[in-house]
Amino acid sequence: MQKLTNKAILIIGGTSGIGSATAALFAHEGADLTIAARKPWNDELAASIHDSGSRAQFVATDVSNTADIRALFDQHMELHGKIDVLFNNAAYDGPGTPVRETTDEELEKVLGTNIKGVFTSCREAIPYMEDAGQGVIINTTAGSAREGLAWPNLGAYIASKGAIISFTRALAVELSQSNIRVNSLNPGVVDTPLLNGFLDKSDDPQAFRESLNSVQLMGRIGQPDEIARAALFLASESSSFVTGTDLLVDGGLVLG
């Protein structure tokens, strides 16, 4: 039995990595989709969604731009007429420089994508969900934002992801009387274009990748489809008694 039949879902940051894997899985589970990102969906993802029979659209969106977010929700509602699940998955890792070398422009870009975009999209979704009397919000965070774990040269990124954890918890309390569940999904280190872009900024990307494998209890980094299955849990009725949590799916990274 499909877990998301008749659900209208908006995935922001849905054309690569975790977002792409989640979009394909959600479509397979019966959801109708709007997929938003700066970069368009690729032919493989579009074909996978089409083959599932899902009604889906792509909307080019800069999540740091409020006008873009509002236009995105307008287009989502025009096609689907409701929003059952919002998955905020867009992310920007930043320049990969020490804090003292991070420019105002880069700081604003990181915070604009990673926390302002999440805040704004939640703000846009809430009235629709309240009118419907139900809803689910999922915000992607990061293992590096958890206590006891951090890396150098990611100060702005880690700060933004920590803010999402706190914001998610606060929003879960705020919306608890509206039958809207709010959780964050914490994927640890996952083999995605975002990770590869960060590795490429290091002096020895292969050595850095091997070190990331070794610090996790399971001895490897995660795969996007493994995180997508956790997103499915949070989006579906399987997690009907879960709200205000930061769900770690990290292969034991935080304990490593």
Side-chain angles (χ1 to χ4, degrees):
M1 180 178 177
Q2 291 177 311
K3 295 183 178 181
L4 298 175
T5 302
N6 296 324
K7 298 294 186 181
I9 298 180
L10 171 54
I11 301 176
I12 299 178
T15 59
S16 67
I18 293 168
S20 176
T22 301
L25 178 60
F26 281 13
H28 180 74
E29 290 291 337
D32 292 322
L33 301 173
T34 297
I35 299 172
R38 286 190 178 94
K39 297 180 180 179
W41 54 4
N42 56 52
D43 292 341
E44 181 180 357
L45 175 59
S48 174
I49 293 173
H50 175 77
D51 291 345
S52 74
S54 172
R55 185 172 53 162
Q57 64 179 335
F58 167 77
V59 180
T61 306
D62 176 356
V63 297
S64 68
N65 186 305
T66 299
D68 269 22
I69 292 289
R70 289 174 176 163
L72 167 63
F73 275 83
D74 286 344
Q75 291 184 63
H76 173 87
M77 293 302 294
E78 183 177 351
L79 178 62
H80 300 298
K82 63 175 183 173
I83 177 166
D84 295 298
V85 179
L86 168 65
F87 182 26
N88 281 309
N89 183 64
Y92 173 57
D93 63 344
T97 57
V99 168
R100 67 177 182 273
E101 298 174 13
T102 301
T103 65
D104 286 349
E105 181 181 14
E106 284 290 347
L107 176 62
E108 290 170 3
K109 187 175 179 181
V110 172
L111 298 182
T113 298
N114 294 357
I115 184 60
K116 179 188 174 186
V118 170
F119 189 102
T120 305
S121 61
C122 288
R123 187 178 65 194
E124 292 297 311
I126 288 167
Y128 296 116
M129 292 182 173
E130 287 182 329
D131 287 347
Q134 62 85 35
V136 174
I137 295 172
I138 307 166
N139 301 320
T140 300
T141 59
S144 55
R146 294 291 288 256
E147 183 178 355
L149 180 67
W151 284 290
N153 302 334
L154 281 173
Y157 174 81
I158 292 172
S160 69
K161 291 298 186 176
I164 293 173
I165 294 173
S166 298
F167 171 65
T168 297
R169 187 167 60 246
L171 190 60
V173 173
E174 186 173 312
L175 299 180
S176 61
Q177 300 304 306
S178 299
N179 196 33
I180 300 171
R181 297 189 295 105
V182 189
N183 293 290
S184 53
L185 175 60
N186 195 319
V189 180
V190 182
D191 193 5
T192 65
L194 184 72
L195 174 66
N196 291 328
F198 178 66
L199 293 177
D200 288 342
K201 296 170 187 174
S202 69
D203 294 334
D204 189 339
Q206 184 57 37
F208 195 179
R209 176 180 286 272
E210 291 172 0
S211 72
L212 291 177
N213 286 329
S214 65
V215 298
Q216 302 190 75
L217 295 185
M218 296 185 69
R220 64 175 179 85
I221 61 178
Q223 295 300 313
D225 64 297
E226 293 176 305
I227 312 306
R229 291 195 292 272
L232 175 61
F233 167 73
L234 292 176
S236 71
E237 286 302 306
S238 296
S239 61
S240 59
F241 198 54
V242 180
T243 195
T245 193
D246 183 48
L247 179 62
L248 272 172
V249 189
D250 70 341
L253 173 66
V254 170
L255 296 176

